[in-house]
Amino acid sequence: MLCFYSPLIPRFDAKTGKLGMSYSRFKTSELNSIGALILQVCSIFHIADVRSGVGEDKQYTECNNLTLINFVLKVLGPTHERTLTIYLLTIQVGKYLQLLVVKH
Protein backbone atom coordinates (compact mmCIF):
# COMPACT_ATOMS: atom_id res chain seq x y z
CA MET A 1 0.00 0.00 0.00
CA LEU A 2 1.33 3.43 -0.95
CA CYS A 3 1.26 6.24 1.55
CA PHE A 4 0.79 9.65 -0.03
CA TYR A 5 1.15 13.12 1.38
CA SER A 6 -0.75 14.87 -1.31
CA PRO A 7 -2.52 18.16 -0.81
CA LEU A 8 -4.43 18.67 -4.04
CA ILE A 9 -4.55 22.41 -3.64
CA PRO A 10 -1.66 24.54 -4.88
CA ARG A 11 1.06 25.49 -2.43
CA PHE A 12 0.89 29.12 -1.23
CA ASP A 13 4.11 31.08 -0.80
CA ALA A 14 3.45 33.77 1.81
CA LYS A 15 6.60 35.74 0.86
CA THR A 16 5.55 36.31 -2.74
CA GLY A 17 1.78 35.88 -2.38
CA LYS A 18 1.81 33.42 -5.28
CA LEU A 19 0.60 29.86 -5.76
CA GLY A 20 2.96 27.07 -6.81
CA MET A 21 2.57 23.42 -7.68
CA SER A 22 1.78 20.87 -4.97
CA TYR A 23 3.69 17.59 -4.89
CA SER A 24 3.17 13.96 -3.92
CA ARG A 25 5.94 11.80 -2.48
CA PHE A 26 5.90 8.02 -2.65
CA LYS A 27 8.32 5.14 -2.28
CA THR A 28 9.80 4.30 -5.68
CA SER A 29 10.03 0.55 -4.96
CA GLU A 30 6.27 0.33 -4.31
CA LEU A 31 5.33 1.80 -7.70
CA ASN A 32 4.04 -0.83 -10.15
CA SER A 33 5.24 -1.03 -13.77
CA ILE A 34 2.25 0.85 -15.21
CA GLY A 35 2.71 3.69 -12.73
CA ALA A 36 6.43 3.86 -13.52
CA LEU A 37 5.66 3.97 -17.25
CA ILE A 38 3.11 6.78 -16.78
CA LEU A 39 5.58 8.82 -14.72
CA GLN A 40 8.30 8.26 -17.32
CA VAL A 41 6.02 9.39 -20.18
CA CYS A 42 4.89 12.44 -18.17
CA SER A 43 8.51 13.32 -17.47
CA ILE A 44 9.61 12.91 -21.11
CA PHE A 45 6.81 15.12 -22.43
CA HIS A 46 7.21 17.62 -19.55
CA ILE A 47 3.64 17.08 -18.36
CA ALA A 48 4.83 16.47 -14.81
CA ASP A 49 7.82 17.48 -12.73
CA VAL A 50 9.23 14.12 -11.57
CA ARG A 51 12.14 13.97 -9.12
CA SER A 52 13.59 10.55 -8.33
CA GLY A 53 15.89 9.70 -5.45
CA VAL A 54 14.57 12.25 -2.94
CA GLY A 55 14.35 11.94 0.81
CA GLU A 56 17.03 11.22 3.33
CA ASP A 57 17.39 7.61 2.18
CA LYS A 58 16.96 8.45 -1.56
CA GLN A 59 14.19 5.84 -1.90
CA TYR A 60 11.35 8.21 -2.78
CA THR A 61 10.03 9.80 -5.94
CA GLU A 62 8.36 13.19 -5.87
CA CYS A 63 5.95 14.31 -8.56
CA ASN A 64 3.63 17.26 -8.95
CA ASN A 65 -0.03 16.30 -8.63
CA LEU A 66 -1.53 15.55 -12.02
CA THR A 67 -4.39 18.04 -11.93
CA LEU A 68 -5.37 20.79 -14.35
CA ILE A 69 -4.48 23.42 -11.73
CA ASN A 70 -0.95 22.06 -11.35
CA PHE A 71 -0.52 21.73 -15.13
CA VAL A 72 -1.44 25.40 -15.59
CA LEU A 73 0.97 26.33 -12.78
CA LYS A 74 3.68 24.26 -14.48
CA VAL A 75 3.16 26.15 -17.75
CA LEU A 76 2.78 29.62 -16.21
CA GLY A 77 5.03 29.26 -13.19
CA PRO A 78 4.08 30.60 -9.77
CA THR A 79 1.21 33.05 -10.11
CA HIS A 80 -1.34 34.96 -8.07
CA GLU A 81 -4.63 33.27 -7.23
CA ARG A 82 -6.68 35.76 -9.24
CA THR A 83 -4.60 35.19 -12.38
CA LEU A 84 -4.78 31.42 -11.97
CA THR A 85 -8.56 31.58 -11.56
CA ILE A 86 -8.92 33.65 -14.73
CA TYR A 87 -6.83 31.18 -16.71
CA LEU A 88 -8.80 28.19 -15.40
CA LEU A 89 -12.14 29.84 -16.15
CA THR A 90 -10.92 30.75 -19.64
CA ILE A 91 -9.96 27.12 -20.26
CA GLN A 92 -13.39 25.94 -19.06
CA VAL A 93 -15.32 28.46 -21.18
CA GLY A 94 -13.12 27.71 -24.20
CA LYS A 95 -13.71 23.98 -23.89
CA TYR A 96 -17.45 24.54 -23.42
CA LEU A 97 -17.63 26.65 -26.59
CA GLN A 98 -15.55 24.09 -28.47
CA LEU A 99 -17.91 21.27 -27.47
CA LEU A 100 -20.94 23.41 -28.31
CA VAL A 101 -19.60 23.95 -31.84
CA VAL A 102 -18.86 20.23 -32.27
CA LYS A 103 -22.32 19.27 -31.02
CA HIS A 104 -24.16 21.55 -33.46
Side-chain angles (χ1 to χ4, degrees):
M1 178 178 216
L2 294 176
C3 180
F4 291 102
Y5 172 72
S6 167
L8 293 178
I9 58 174
R11 188 177 302 172
F12 179 71
D13 185 2
K15 292 179 186 176
T16 62
K18 294 183 177 183
L19 298 173
M21 292 188 298
S22 57
Y23 288 86
S24 296
R25 182 181 285 190
F26 47 89
K27 203 165 193 173
T28 307
S29 61
E30 294 181 2
L31 191 62
N32 64 22
S33 58
I34 294 173
L37 177 66
I38 289 171
L39 280 183
Q40 187 176 14
V41 169
C42 287
S43 180
I44 290 170
F45 290 107
H46 302 287
I47 296 170
D49 183 21
V50 181
R51 302 176 194 152
S52 297
V54 296
E56 55 191 45
D57 55 0
K58 307 285 187 209
Q59 293 184 354
Y60 290 88
T61 297
E62 194 172 69
C63 167
N64 66 304
N65 293 318
L66 302 176
T67 62
L68 180 61
I69 296 171
N70 275 330
F71 183 73
V72 171
L73 285 170
K74 180 167 177 46
V75 172
L76 296 177
T79 186
H80 291 282
E81 185 176 3
R82 178 186 164 105
T83 306
L84 179 62
T85 303
I86 290 170
Y87 276 108
L88 291 171
L89 287 173
T90 303
I91 289 170
Q92 287 181 335
V93 169
K95 286 298 173 183
Y96 171 75
L97 292 174
Q98 185 181 29
L99 291 173
L100 190 63
V101 168
V102 169
K103 184 179 178 182
H104 296 290

